[in-house]
Amino acid sequence: MEAGSLPLELWRMILAYLHLPDLGRCSLVCRAWYELILSLDSTRWRQLCLGCTECRHPNWPNQPDVEPESWREAFKQHYLASKTWTKNALDLESSVCFSLFRRRRERRTLSVGPGHEFDSLSSALALASLYDRIMLFPGVYEEQGEIILKVPVEIVGHGKLGEVALLASIDQHCSTTRLCNLVFMPAWFSPIMYKTTSGHVQFDNCNFENGHIQVHGPGTCQVKFCTFKNTHVFLHNVPLCVLENCEFVGSENNSVTVEGHPSADKNWAYKYLLGLIKSSPPLLPPEDSDFLMSLDLESRDQAWSPRTCDIVIEGSQSPTSPASSSPKPGSKAGSQEAEVGSDGERVAQTSDSSDGGLSPSGEDEDEDQLTYRLSYQVQGPRPVLGGSFLGPPLPGASIQLPSCLVLNSLQQELQKDKEAMALVNSVQGCLIRKCLFRDGKGGVLVCSYGQAKMEGNIFRHLTYAVRCIHNSKIVMLRNDIYRCRASGIFLRLEGGGLIAGNNIYHNAEAGVDIRKKSNPLILCNQIHHGLRSGIVVLGNGKGIIRNNQIFSNKEAGIYILYHGNPIVRYLCH
C-alpha cells in the first residue's frame, strides 16, 4: 500500500499506535514511508522518548522545559548510549574499590543534608574515619573552598541520579575513594572538579558537566556508567585507567587526553584493574543493526548503493621520464614482476625493493615534477580485495581484481600475526570500552608517548574521533566511527599501533590519515562512504594496510603521495 493512498493526517493517526519495532520496519519500506515516520517527531517520537523510564529529558538538567530540535534524534542518542549498559551492567557495589569498604565492619554512615547531622560535605569529611560512607541527600551542595580527601571514603548520592548535585573542587590525597550517583559541576573558583596524583578513584553512575578531571600517575581510575557533558578527562602518566560504558557529549576540545609514558610505579589498584580487564569476555559484534539502520536514512541507502574501491598513488616522478621505466641505481634489474590471479588476470605489480616500494619516488627527488596515478577498482555489492602490492606502479595502469579474492576474518589475521596479537593483549595507559562520543570537537587524543586501547566504542558527529601523535600508541578494535567533520583517525609524528575491525564511514575527509613517519598496522576494517579518500598516507607516513574493505569513497580508496610509503597487502585464498 502506498503512502499516498490516504491523506497524511490519517496515516499519522494510524502510525501513532505503532510500537518502536514496527516504526523501524515501516521506515525501511521506501523513502516515502521513511519521510512519513519522520513527520511523527512531535507526536509519537516525543511520546516514546518521554515514556521511556530510563531516558531523561534531552535538555536535563539546565533546561528541562525546552524541547529538543528532534525528539526522534534525542531518543536515538539515548538508545545508542544505553543499549549495551542494560545488557552488560554490573552491580555497582561489586567493584574492586568497593570491596575494600565492605571489609571494614566498623565503618559508619554519615548523613549530609537538610535535617541530617551534617549540612555540608566538608563538615562530614572533617569527622570521617577510614572507609566511612558519606550519604548526600537530595539537594545542591556548593563548597566555597577546595576539598582535600585525606582518608579513604565513599561518597554516595541518595535517590535517583540528578537529585544530588555537587559544586566542588576535590583533590584526593588518600589511597582510594569511591563516588557514586552524583552530579558534578565545577566550583566558582576552579574548573577542576576532581584531581588525584597517586591514589585510585572510582566513579559509578555519575554526571560531570563543564569541567575537568585530572588523574596523574601513579594514580589510577575506574569509571563506569557515567556521562560527561563538555568535560575533559586528562590522564597523565597513568599506569592504567578504565573508562567503560560512558557517554561523552558536547566537548569543546578533546573528551579524553592520554599523555606521557605509563608510570613505572604501580599503586595498590593496578594489579586488580589488570586482572579485571584480562578476565573480561571478548567483545561481540554490533547488535541491533536493523533498528539503527531504520533510524538513519543514509545507513539504509549505504546498504543498497553500489560500492567501488581504488588505490591512488601520486608521486613526484614523471611517467615519461627514463626513471619511470628503468631501475634505480643499486636495484636489481628485472625485479618487477606481475602476480596473476587464478583466472589469469593480472593483479598487481610487485617489487623486491627493500623499502616496500610503495613510495613512487625516492626521498631525494624533487616534489615539483609531474605526478602519475594508479587506480584499482572493485565493483559489486560486497567488495573483496586480495593479492599483494609491494612495488612501484606503472603509470596509467588500471587493474580489475579477480572475483576469487576473499578477505580473512579479524580473528584469522590476529592469529597469524604475532605483532598484532601482542598489541591486542597489551594493556597500559587507558582502556576505553563501550563508550559513546558524540556531538563535540574531539574524541580521544593520545600524545607524548601515551598509550590507549579502545574497544567497541561509538564516535559520531565529532570533528575527529581519535588523534595519535608524538610517538604514542593506540589499539582500536571494533569501534564505529562516522560523520566526523574531518578525518576519523589521525596519526602524526611517529604515532602507531593497531587499527583493526573498525567500521569507519561517512566522514568529511579521510577515514584514516597517516603522516610524518607514523607507522600503524591497519587490519580488517570497513572504510566507506567518505567524502574524500578511505586512507591517506603522505609526508613520510608508513604502515601496513592489509585485508580491509575500502569502498564507495568520493576519491580514492587509498591515496598515497608526498613520500608516503606504506605496505599494502591483499591476501588471496
Side-chain angles (χ1 to χ4, degrees):
M1 183 181 296
E2 296 183 358
S5 60
L6 288 176
L8 293 180
E9 291 76 10
L10 290 179
W11 276 120
R12 293 191 181 104
M13 292 178 62
I14 295 171
L15 295 175
Y17 289 94
L18 296 182
H19 296 289
L20 182 61
D22 297 322
L23 284 176
R25 296 187 186 100
C26 288
S27 69
L28 292 175
V29 172
C30 62
R31 186 176 293 273
W33 279 74
Y34 180 84
E35 296 294 338
L36 187 59
I37 298 299
L38 282 183
S39 68
L40 303 176
D41 188 85
S42 61
T43 55
R44 184 54 176 161
W45 286 108
R46 182 181 185 275
Q47 184 182 20
L48 288 172
C49 189
L50 295 179
C52 180
T53 58
E54 299 177 352
C55 184
R56 295 191 303 268
H57 191 283
N59 291 322
W60 177 92
N62 296 325
Q63 296 177 309
D65 298 327
V66 178
E67 294 198 357
E69 295 182 2
S70 170
W71 285 98
R72 171 184 163 276
E73 181 65 21
F75 185 78
K76 177 182 176 182
Q77 297 288 358
H78 169 75
Y79 179 83
L80 288 171
S82 63
K83 66 174 183 176
T84 56
W85 296 6
T86 56
K87 296 178 181 178
N88 303 291
L90 303 175
D91 180 6
L92 294 178
E93 296 192 353
S94 65
S95 61
V96 172
C97 182
F98 187 65
S99 64
L100 296 180
F101 294 95
R102 289 192 300 178
R103 293 173 187 171
R104 195 67 178 243
R105 295 181 179 178
E106 65 274 17
R107 62 193 298 255
R108 300 176 299 164
T109 297
L110 308 180
S111 301
V112 179
H116 295 273
E117 53 185 319
F118 298 98
D119 59 0
S120 67
L121 175 60
S122 56
S123 61
L125 287 171
L127 297 178
S129 302
L130 294 174
Y131 302 107
D132 281 348
R133 168 181 285 192
I134 298 177
M135 182 70 70
L136 299 180
F137 284 82
V140 178
Y141 299 88
E142 184 173 5
E143 300 293 336
Q144 300 301 315
E146 184 179 51
I147 294 177
I148 298 179
L149 298 180
K150 298 181 180 180
V151 296
V153 292
E154 180 189 18
I155 304 175
V156 180
H158 185 273
K160 297 181 179 179
L161 179 62
E163 294 182 348
V164 178
L166 183 59
L167 284 68
S169 178
I170 301 176
D171 190 355
Q172 177 182 334
H173 290 183
C174 55
S175 61
T176 185
T177 300
R178 178 177 183 260
L179 303 104
C180 179
N181 206 42
L182 300 168
V183 175
F184 284 87
M185 298 181 182
W188 62 271
F189 55 86
S190 174
I192 299 176
M193 293 183 288
Y194 201 93
K195 179 174 67 174
T196 182
T197 56
S198 59
H200 174 73
V201 59
Q202 179 167 319
F203 296 103
D204 293 326
N205 195 39
C206 293
N207 277 13
F208 301 86
E209 299 184 13
N210 303 312
H212 299 273
I213 297 173
Q214 297 182 359
V215 180
H216 299 265
T220 56
C221 72
Q222 184 179 9
V223 185
K224 300 188 298 183
F225 310 109
C226 293
T227 299
F228 299 82
K229 294 184 178 181
N230 190 28
T231 297
H232 180 216
V233 179
F234 178 73
L235 307 174
H236 181 258
N237 293 124
V238 294
L240 189 58
C241 286
V242 180
L243 308 177
E244 191 168 14
N245 294 106
C246 295
E247 180 181 12
F248 297 83
V249 56
S251 63
E252 295 179 356
N253 206 315
N254 307 304
S255 295
V256 179
T257 297
V258 183
E259 179 180 288
H261 281 293
S263 175
D265 298 329
K266 307 295 190 298
N267 66 18
W268 69 270
Y270 176 81
K271 65 178 182 179
Y272 295 103
L273 287 176
L274 191 62
L276 177 67
I277 293 170
K278 291 187 176 181
S279 63
S280 299
L283 290 177
L284 298 176
E287 298 180 359
D288 301 326
S289 57
D290 291 339
F291 172 73
L292 291 178
M293 188 179 295
S294 71
L295 295 181
D296 194 334
L297 181 60
E298 287 78 9
S299 296
R300 189 197 66 180
D301 290 343
Q302 157 196 320
W304 294 346
S305 63
R307 303 177 178 181
T308 62
C309 173
D310 60 358
I311 299 175
V312 174
I313 303 176
E314 292 194 358
S316 58
Q317 187 175 345
S318 170
T320 59
S321 65
S324 64
S325 58
S326 60
K328 296 181 182 179
S331 65
K332 297 180 181 179
S335 61
Q336 296 184 358
E337 57 182 79
E339 184 172 321
V340 180
S342 61
D343 56 357
E345 294 189 27
R346 189 177 187 177
V347 178
Q349 292 290 327
T350 61
S351 172
D352 294 332
S353 59
S354 60
D355 62 354
L358 273 178
S359 176
S361 61
E363 297 270 346
D364 55 343
E365 293 183 336
D366 295 332
E367 295 184 357
D368 56 355
Q369 294 179 341
L370 297 177
T371 64
Y372 58 82
R373 192 175 183 93
L374 169 67
S375 177
Y376 290 72
Q377 294 187 350
V378 179
Q379 297 183 355
R382 183 174 180 81
V384 291
L385 308 179
S388 63
F389 181 71
L390 297 174
L394 295 179
S398 183
I399 302 166
Q400 183 76 29
L401 296 180
S403 60
C404 66
L405 301 177
V406 296
L407 291 172
N408 280 344
S409 68
L410 176 58
Q411 190 62 32
Q412 289 173 324
E413 284 292 311
L414 294 177
Q415 287 176 348
K416 71 179 183 179
D417 193 322
K418 293 182 179 179
E419 179 185 357
M421 187 59 74
L423 288 170
V424 169
N425 293 328
S426 64
V427 181
Q428 277 191 314
C430 180
L431 172 64
I432 305 174
R433 299 188 62 188
K434 305 176 191 174
C435 293
L436 171 63
F437 295 79
R438 65 177 178 90
D439 302 322
K441 181 178 180 181
V444 179
L445 170 65
V446 187
C447 60
S448 302
Y449 298 92
Q451 297 184 28
K453 185 175 183 179
M454 288 157 269
E455 298 182 349
N457 304 288
I458 297 175
F459 299 85
R460 65 190 307 266
H461 290 192
L462 304 167
T463 300
Y464 63 87
V466 177
R467 290 177 66 95
C468 178
I469 60 176
H470 294 138
N471 298 280
S472 297
K473 182 170 67 176
I474 58 174
V475 176
M476 299 192 64
L477 301 173
R478 299 185 179 94
N479 300 280
D480 208 60
I481 301 173
Y482 65 108
R483 300 200 181 282
C484 291
R485 293 181 288 275
S487 296
I489 303 174
F490 287 88
L491 295 107
R492 302 282 192 277
L493 301 172
E494 302 187 50
L498 174 66
I499 301 172
N502 302 283
N503 192 16
I504 307 172
Y505 59 103
H506 281 301
N507 297 296
E509 294 186 6
V512 181
D513 192 315
I514 307 169
R515 306 187 188 191
K516 297 184 179 179
K517 299 183 179 180
S518 294
N519 191 24
L521 179 57
I522 303 176
L523 302 176
C524 302
N525 301 282
Q526 292 192 25
I527 307 175
H528 54 96
H529 289 86
L531 296 183
R532 300 292 295 274
S533 300
I535 300 177
V536 171
V537 188
L538 55 87
N540 297 313
K542 301 179 181 179
I544 297 176
I545 304 171
R546 188 171 73 232
N547 218 51
N548 299 277
Q549 296 184 35
I550 307 175
F551 56 91
S552 295
N553 298 287
K554 294 294 184 181
E555 293 184 351
I558 303 176
Y559 208 142
I560 305 170
L561 69 164
Y562 298 133
H563 307 303
N565 189 29
I567 298 175
V568 182
R569 290 176 178 168
Y570 300 133
L571 302 181
C572 179
H573 291 263

